[in-house]
């Protein structure tokens, strides 16, 4: 029996812009992505089973092809011809589900990286990212991680100067947001504000943490139903009051994050928010 583990890091969007709706129903995006230390752990075991299986520590998650981890494993097998019939996948989840932090995509990406090691297929990260395109829009980025510009459907990636060391407090309010519905909502409104992506890229390049924090912006916040938006605003305000240099919603939400230069301030903010929101995490960029 051979066993290995892969960390599956959550991501946040330092910025997210929706540029246009494409004929294939997807949207042209421009996003600055950052992976963070909050992670699931994916364990792959070869042998000890006579069929491909998936288990997780959360009873309500699908364990069939609807789970992105199985979809990723099948995509890997299609590309490499690997025999998955003796493979057991286990995911220990800590990243909240349906939170705008790419928990599922990150698990799929970790499966691709792990299978490449387990089956010794020698694929480059770029090749794994390409396989991930068919699995989900955020999977290619999650294969590579770090600080990156994602364009197109999310699959056109440019590595950026790493975000300066800092502390990130992630807080997920307890309501789900449907990603396809939020895309529909954004198609129906005129956007008043857009992120200054060029300025954000310059701030990253210049290692200017305050400049990055000032430019964090997500157009999806404008498309939220008013009650949801009020909760997101409230969390952002609390983060700022506790000393965050900036605060923003991640992806299609509802997770909100604050960026801090001082650890004590981040710890205090996380402690205060945790009293109302149990899914609150103190992280660092990875
Ligand atoms: O690719 P993925 O399955 O993660 O996308 C989930 C949904 O998000 C899609 O069905 C689509 O409604 C929306 N989406 C989009 N444009 C993108 C990425 C996702 O419209 N670039």
């Amino acid at each position: 029996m051979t066993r290995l583990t892969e960390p599956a890091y959550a991501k946040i969007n330092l910025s997210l812009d929706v540029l246009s709706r494409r004929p294939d129903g997807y949207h042209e995006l421009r996003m600055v992505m950052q992976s963070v230390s909050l992670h699931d752990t994916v364990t792959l075991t070869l042998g000890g089973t006579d069929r491909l299986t998936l288990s997780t520590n959360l009873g309500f998650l699908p364990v069939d092809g609807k789970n992105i981890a199985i979809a990723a494993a099948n995509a890997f097998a299609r590309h490499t011809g690997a025999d998955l019939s003796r493979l057991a996948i286990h995911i220990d989840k800590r990243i909240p589900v349906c939170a705008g932090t790419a928990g599922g995509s990150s698990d799929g990406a970790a499966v691709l990286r792990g299978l490449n090691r387990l089956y010794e297929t020698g694929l480059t990260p770029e090749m794994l990212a390409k396989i991930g395109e068919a699995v989900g829009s955020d999977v290619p980025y999650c294969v590579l991680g770090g600080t990156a510009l994602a364009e197109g459907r999310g699959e056109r990636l440019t590595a950026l100067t790493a975000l300066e060391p800092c502390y990130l407090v992630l807080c997920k309010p307890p309501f789900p947001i449907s990603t396809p519905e939020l895309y529909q909502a954004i198609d129906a409104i005129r956007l008043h504000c857009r992120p200054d992506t060029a300025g954000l890229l310059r701030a990253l390049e210049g290692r200017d943490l305050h400049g990055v924090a000032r430019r964090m912006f997500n157009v999806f916040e404008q498309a939220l139903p008013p009650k949801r938006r009020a909760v997101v605003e409230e969390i952002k305000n609390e983060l700022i009051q506790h000393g965050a240099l900036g605060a923003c919603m991640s992806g299609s939400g509802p997770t909100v994050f604050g960026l801090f230069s001082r650890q004590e301030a981040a710890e205090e903010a996380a402690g205060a928010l945790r009293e109302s929101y149990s899914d609150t995490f103190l992280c660092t960029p990875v």
Side-chain angles (χ1 to χ4, degrees):
M1 218 156 72
T2 323
R3 173 170 296 172
L4 59 78
T5 62
E6 272 285 328
Y9 294 107
K11 68 91 184 143
I12 54 169
N13 292 85
L14 296 177
S15 71
L16 194 162
D17 202 1
V18 180
L19 304 179
S20 61
R21 188 170 185 277
R22 312 188 332 182
D24 64 3
Y26 282 89
H27 292 73
E28 279 294 307
L29 306 176
R30 191 188 291 133
M31 319 183 273
V32 176
M33 322 282 268
Q34 175 64 53
S35 46
V36 300
S37 51
L38 172 66
H39 64 278
D40 297 341
T41 301
V42 174
T43 304
L44 303 178
T45 308
L46 195 52
T49 171
D50 55 7
R51 65 190 174 85
L52 172 61
T53 63
L54 171 64
S55 56
T56 79
N57 59 325
L58 300 180
F60 58 87
L61 290 181
V63 290
D64 57 12
K66 289 195 206 83
N67 192 304
I68 207 162
I70 292 285
N74 287 331
F76 179 84
R78 278 197 303 277
H79 269 78
T80 59
D83 172 13
L84 303 183
S85 63
R86 292 164 58 243
L87 178 72
I89 305 174
H90 180 77
I91 307 177
D92 188 31
K93 286 211 68 73
R94 279 184 296 267
I95 307 172
V97 176
C98 293
T101 48
S105 304
S106 183
D107 295 338
V111 165
L112 293 175
R113 285 194 307 266
L115 290 178
N116 193 36
R117 285 167 56 207
L118 194 62
Y119 287 81
E120 299 180 347
T121 31
L123 301 178
T124 63
E126 289 71 24
M127 288 159 138
L128 293 173
K130 186 79 194 155
I131 296 174
E133 275 181 33
V135 183
S137 301
D138 281 341
V139 176
Y141 163 73
C142 289
V143 168
L144 305 171
T147 312
L149 176 69
E151 296 173 286
R153 220 186 92 199
E155 82 290 8
R156 243 174 40 233
L157 297 164
T158 310
L160 301 171
T161 307
L163 180 65
E164 285 291 281
C166 62
Y167 300 90
L168 296 154
V169 174
L170 274 59
C171 175
K172 182 196 159 294
F175 50 78
I177 290 182
S178 154
T179 302
E181 280 175 25
L182 200 57
Y183 273 105
Q184 274 172 23
I186 211 161
D187 287 338
I189 59 168
R190 179 189 285 271
L191 291 173
H192 299 296
C193 300
R194 313 201 86 106
D196 171 15
T197 309
L200 177 57
L201 298 182
R202 275 196 303 277
L204 282 166
E205 176 88 5
R207 304 182 187 283
D208 170 12
L209 199 57
H210 285 76
V212 169
R214 253 200 324 275
R215 291 177 179 84
M216 295 188 322
F217 193 87
N218 181 342
V219 291
F220 275 134
E221 290 179 31
Q222 297 164 72
L224 290 173
K227 280 190 183 148
R228 306 298 201 214
R229 191 170 177 184
V231 176
V232 165
E233 285 301 322
E234 201 178 283
I235 297 171
K236 283 169 68 172
N237 286 338
E238 186 148 359
L239 288 161
I240 298 288
Q241 275 161 21
H242 278 91
L245 306 181
C248 186
M249 189 172 83
S250 180
S252 54
T255 300
V256 178
F257 67 93
L259 186 154
F260 296 78
S261 55
R262 287 179 40 246
Q263 183 172 357
E264 312 80 72
E267 279 168 359
E268 274 176 37
L273 280 165
R274 209 169 281 127
E275 284 176 20
S276 309
Y277 304 105
S278 55
D279 282 337
T280 299
F281 307 90
L282 174 56
C283 318
T284 51
V286 289

